Amino acid sequence: MKINEEIEEKDIKKYSYLLIALCWIVYACSYIGKLGYNANIIQIENAFNISHAESGTVSSFFFFAYGAGQIINGLFCKRYNLKYVVFGGLILSGISNILIGVVTNFEIVKYLWVINGGALSVLWASLIRFLSETLDKKYMSKAVVVMGTTVATGTFLVYGLSALFVALKVFKLIFFIAGILLPIIAITWFISSPLLAKKIISGQTANGIDSKDLNKEEAATETKRKEGMKDLVGVFVIFAIFAIMTNLIKDGLTTWVPIVLKDVYGLPDYISILLTLLLPLCAIFGVSVVVTLNKKIKNFVSICTILFTVSCILIGIVITMLHFNIFIVAVISFAIIACSMQGTNNLITSVMPLYWKDKINSGMVAGIFNGCCYIGSMISSYGLGLIADLYGWNFVFWLLFFVCFVAVVIGISEFIIRVIKGKQKGK
């Protein structure tokens, strides 16, 4: 019997890792369908002869649909049949990308990208819910680390391919790649996800966990969640604000750094995109930074405050470098900021929801916070482009500096209030 249990536990581990890998592939590759427009924004401006503000409108439309969809899907994902919802989202995104690659009217582009944003908005909350409900707690930390690398990896992949296609003068190929790849992944998910979940759950049952125990545990978890939500309301408000600020900075850099390097430093298009690859490459380490900090600092708000402080200092360096023709210092600063902000994003949208799964509905919270993140993304796309058109890039970076500074003030204020309350309780 002992041997059978050991084999069964090995099987659970194998299928759990395969499930995490499947979710990683789905979300990382979805970025090819998500960021193809942003990665080629210079070429799109040239092809349609439009301004920064006009090109940013499309991204803002996307982020509005994506952000609103995240919040809606976060609230309702508990009712979804994840097998069909994730499949449908990937298929619809693939079709939208194919159509983007063939249209010649710029007005049509923004509406197609709205559909794309709505389609992809189902993914994150659904995947986090799927992981939290299927995996045993012992595999949760692995899921946190792995899923935390999806955004940076996907961004690196789409910008790398875009740089290659721009150099080859076939930039629209990125949309056709997405149109072919995403349906393939959708079919893989449709077939594999229910099989892996069934294997894991049946393995847990074979190791002595019966359905009654699972039902009791779920009922107890729901009770804890209702109580936990009351205790976390204040922290939720802070994290919602941090989420907006994080993606305003993170996606603002991802979207506009190629144009900054072209406009300010006069670099060729493909070199600008290639150098921008440093952002997602360094951002991959953001989740590792958060996990390392979390080992020494248990308060999530404090970790975010540290990362915002680092970004604030580096944006100050970028502002200084705008007066000199030394682009390498600016690029390195951008890369470290991307790492810090990706770390904050991972903490808010995956680490916290999965670690607090007993207190909160992980899928709901991940969806709501991810939706807040994309409010910042929406502002960054149109707003920063418009500000650049009107006042120049120097003003843009002063605005980002101010956003970071406000975040630091909020974090320090929360720390002071927490210390005061702690002393009052100690009396």
Side-chain angles (χ1 to χ4, degrees):
M1 181 67 182
K2 186 176 179 181
I3 294 175
N4 290 334
E5 288 183 358
E6 287 178 356
I7 293 173
E8 196 66 50
E9 178 59 34
K10 289 179 181 179
D11 288 339
I12 294 174
K13 181 178 181 180
K14 178 180 72 174
Y15 292 126
S16 295
Y17 284 174
L18 286 172
L19 183 67
I20 294 171
L22 176 64
C23 292
W24 184 92
I25 290 169
V26 168
Y27 202 71
C29 290
S30 74
Y31 265 66
I32 298 178
K34 178 181 175 181
L35 289 183
Y37 179 91
N38 284 7
N40 291 278
I41 198 165
I42 297 174
Q43 288 66 46
I44 288 168
E45 287 184 353
N46 293 335
F48 291 100
N49 192 27
I50 54 177
S51 67
H52 297 332
E54 288 175 306
S55 64
T57 302
V58 176
S59 295
S60 290
F61 269 56
F62 174 90
F63 289 134
F64 174 78
Y66 191 83
Q70 287 281 354
I71 295 172
I72 293 169
N73 290 309
L75 293 172
F76 294 102
C77 70
K78 190 172 179 63
R79 303 173 183 271
Y80 292 169
N81 184 319
L82 300 182
K83 173 183 173 181
Y84 294 98
V85 169
V86 173
F87 173 81
L90 292 171
I91 291 292
L92 192 54
S93 177
I95 294 171
S96 299
N97 272 270
I98 289 287
L99 293 175
I100 286 286
V102 298
V103 298
T104 55
N105 186 337
F106 181 72
E107 286 299 312
I108 297 175
V109 172
K110 60 186 177 185
Y111 296 111
L112 287 172
W113 223 230
V114 166
I115 295 171
N116 190 36
L120 292 176
S121 71
V122 305
L123 296 183
W124 185 252
S126 298
L127 294 175
I128 293 298
R129 177 201 144 189
F130 190 54
L131 289 168
S132 67
E133 291 181 353
T134 308
L135 294 178
D136 189 88
K137 288 183 179 180
K138 70 177 74 174
Y139 302 110
M140 206 58 67
S141 59
K142 177 69 69 175
V144 166
V145 173
V146 172
M147 291 303 291
T149 66
T150 52
V151 175
T153 304
T155 305
F156 180 82
L157 184 60
V158 71
Y159 273 81
L161 288 172
S162 294
L164 174 62
F165 297 153
V166 168
L168 296 174
K169 302 186 185 304
V170 286
F171 80 90
K172 285 191 175 183
L173 189 56
I174 191 68
F175 299 112
F176 296 106
I177 294 291
I180 295 169
L181 179 63
L182 293 184
I184 293 173
I185 294 173
I187 294 169
T188 303
W189 165 269
F190 190 84
I191 296 171
S192 302
S193 60
L195 293 177
L196 290 171
K198 184 178 179 181
K199 292 284 187 181
I200 292 168
I201 293 171
S202 63
Q204 290 171 344
T205 303
N207 275 274
I209 304 175
D210 61 31
S211 58
K212 292 182 179 179
D213 291 335
L214 288 173
N215 291 333
K216 288 179 181 178
E217 184 178 339
E218 181 61 26
T221 298
E222 284 299 319
T223 302
K224 288 182 181 178
R225 285 173 178 172
K226 291 178 181 178
E227 295 173 354
M229 287 293 288
K230 296 178 182 177
D231 298 333
L232 298 174
V233 170
V235 179
F236 273 27
V237 173
I238 292 175
F239 277 125
I241 296 170
F242 278 178
I244 295 170
M245 292 174 164
T246 294
N247 268 41
L248 195 158
I249 297 165
K250 180 178 74 70
D251 284 340
L253 293 181
T254 303
T255 301
W256 296 113
V257 162
I259 293 181
V260 170
L261 294 176
K262 178 186 177 183
D263 289 354
V264 177
Y265 298 104
L267 299 177
D269 291 352
Y270 75 94
I271 293 293
S272 297
I273 297 174
L274 202 58
L275 285 174
T276 307
L277 280 174
L278 279 176
L279 273 63
L281 184 63
C282 291
I284 289 174
F285 300 102
V287 66
S288 299
V289 171
V290 164
V291 171
T292 301
L293 287 173
N294 191 223
K295 289 178 181 178
K296 298 183 179 181
I297 304 170
K298 299 304 178 183
N299 184 273
F300 291 149
V301 176
S302 296
I303 295 174
C304 289
T305 304
I306 291 170
L307 295 173
F308 274 117
T309 301
V310 171
S311 298
C312 193
I313 294 169
L314 289 168
I315 291 173
I317 293 173
V318 169
I319 292 170
T320 303
M321 287 300 102
L322 288 174
H323 300 290
F324 303 95
N325 195 24
I326 310 174
F327 71 87
I328 192 64
V329 177
V331 170
I332 293 172
S333 298
F334 289 146
I336 299 173
I337 294 168
C339 179
S340 298
M341 290 298 93
Q342 185 60 55
T344 305
N345 181 281
N346 289 336
L347 179 65
I348 294 171
T349 61
S350 61
V351 175
M352 191 187 75
L354 286 174
Y355 274 157
W356 288 358
K357 60 179 277 188
D358 291 337
K359 295 183 178 180
I360 52 180
N361 182 313
S362 295
M364 180 189 72
V365 173
I368 291 173
F369 281 151
N370 218 17
C372 291
C373 283
Y374 283 95
I375 293 174
S377 300
M378 182 177 65
I379 296 170
S380 73
S381 297
Y382 177 76
L384 297 185
L386 179 62
I387 291 170
D389 285 336
L390 295 175
Y391 305 109
W393 291 111
N394 190 62
F395 195 93
V396 169
F397 286 109
W398 273 112
L399 176 62
L400 295 180
F401 179 87
F402 177 75
V403 170
C404 274
F405 181 77
V406 171
V408 172
V409 171
I410 292 172
I412 292 173
S413 299
E414 189 275 341
F415 174 78
I416 293 172
I417 292 171
R418 186 158 30 92
V419 170
I420 292 172
K421 285 184 175 179
K423 289 182 178 179
Q424 289 176 344
K425 288 181 179 179
K427 289 182 179 181

